[in-house]
Amino acid sequence: MPRITDQELIARAEIQDLLTRYGQAQDQDEWSLYDDIFTPDAAIHFPGMPMESRSAADFGRFLQEFNKTRISGQHLIGNTLYRFENDGRSAHVVSEVIYITLHPTDTPGRLRRIRGNALYSDQAVLTADGWRIARRDIAQKNVEIDEADYDAVLLSAIESASVTRWFGSSGDEA
């Protein structure tokens, strides 16, 4: 394996920040974070899934609407591999994803849980504004949906944590 250069380490950190922003935008409803992740013409594809390809902007709007149906969510993105191309100005980036979302049901104290695993295959490019994702393929690997009862105190804590602006667009913490 060739040695990693200082430039490549910096690029990896900047690309990892994009991946983190993507998860945090969704999980914390901080959609201003989503604005700097993708190129203006970025496309998102869903191979093997009954979902048509769409622009990153359109997918962001879809996610914002979906988030209105949930109480909480979490995306963990890791096991990321990088392959730099084009003299370090582009990169193929593959990450494993674990996610869970909690949705209300008609029964008080009972939530629907959606848990899954996916793979993000990204084509990242270095732009004048920094690294951006130009293409993302989302490959679903597993999905489990069930319902579970939650104690009222725990449910209240989850709901409270979900509306707290932990990071905030201004950079202020909760």
Side-chain angles (χ1 to χ4, degrees), residues 64-79:
Q64 288 179 54
E65 287 301 311
F66 177 77
N67 274 16
K68 292 177 183 177
T69 71
R70 69 183 201 171
I71 293 173
S72 178
Q74 183 176 32
H75 290 73
L76 302 174
I77 304 170
N79 289 352

Side-chain angles (χ1 to χ4, degrees), residues 2-165:
R3 291 184 56 88
I4 298 172
T5 65
D6 290 347
Q7 178 184 356
E8 191 174 309
L9 282 173
I10 292 168
R12 286 175 180 229
E14 291 174 355
I15 293 168
Q16 184 61 48
D17 189 56
L18 293 177
L19 301 174
T20 300
R21 286 172 167 274
Y22 180 81
Q24 291 290 328
Q26 292 180 69
D27 298 339
Q28 308 308 325
D29 277 330
E30 289 290 347
W31 295 103
S32 62
L33 296 173
Y34 191 87
D35 297 339
D36 297 327
I37 297 169
F38 296 97
T39 61
D41 61 344
I44 299 181
H45 305 274
F46 310 90
M49 294 171 52
M51 195 169 190
E52 294 200 19
S53 298
R54 52 179 63 186
S55 71
D58 183 49
F59 190 57
R61 288 187 291 273
F62 165 81
L63 292 171
Q64 288 179 54
E65 287 301 311
F66 177 77
N67 274 16
K68 292 177 183 177
T69 71
R70 69 183 201 171
I71 293 173
S72 178
Q74 183 176 32
H75 290 73
L76 302 174
I77 304 170
N79 289 352
T80 303
L81 293 174
Y82 304 83
R83 183 179 68 231
F84 288 91
E85 303 158 340
N86 196 20
D87 292 327
R89 294 189 311 272
S90 64
H92 183 209
V93 182
V94 177
S95 302
E96 297 284 343
V97 183
I98 298 171
Y99 62 88
I100 182 169
T101 60
L102 300 175
H103 302 261
T105 67
D106 293 334
T107 304
R110 179 166 278 261
L111 298 179
R112 181 171 57 110
R113 299 183 298 192
I114 302 175
R115 295 173 290 199
N117 309 81
L119 182 136
Y120 294 163
S121 178
D122 296 326
Q123 189 62 38
V125 294
L126 184 57
T127 72
D129 296 319
W131 284 94
R132 300 291 184 266
I133 297 171
R135 177 190 171 109
R136 167 166 282 174
D137 290 304
I138 300 176
Q140 191 66 52
K141 297 174 83 174
N142 176 51
V143 176
E144 297 175 6
I145 301 173
D146 63 8
E147 292 185 2
D149 294 322
Y150 283 75
D151 168 275
V153 173
L154 177 58
L155 184 54
S156 177
I158 292 169
E159 290 171 337
S160 176
S162 295
V163 296
T164 300
R165 293 288 145 251

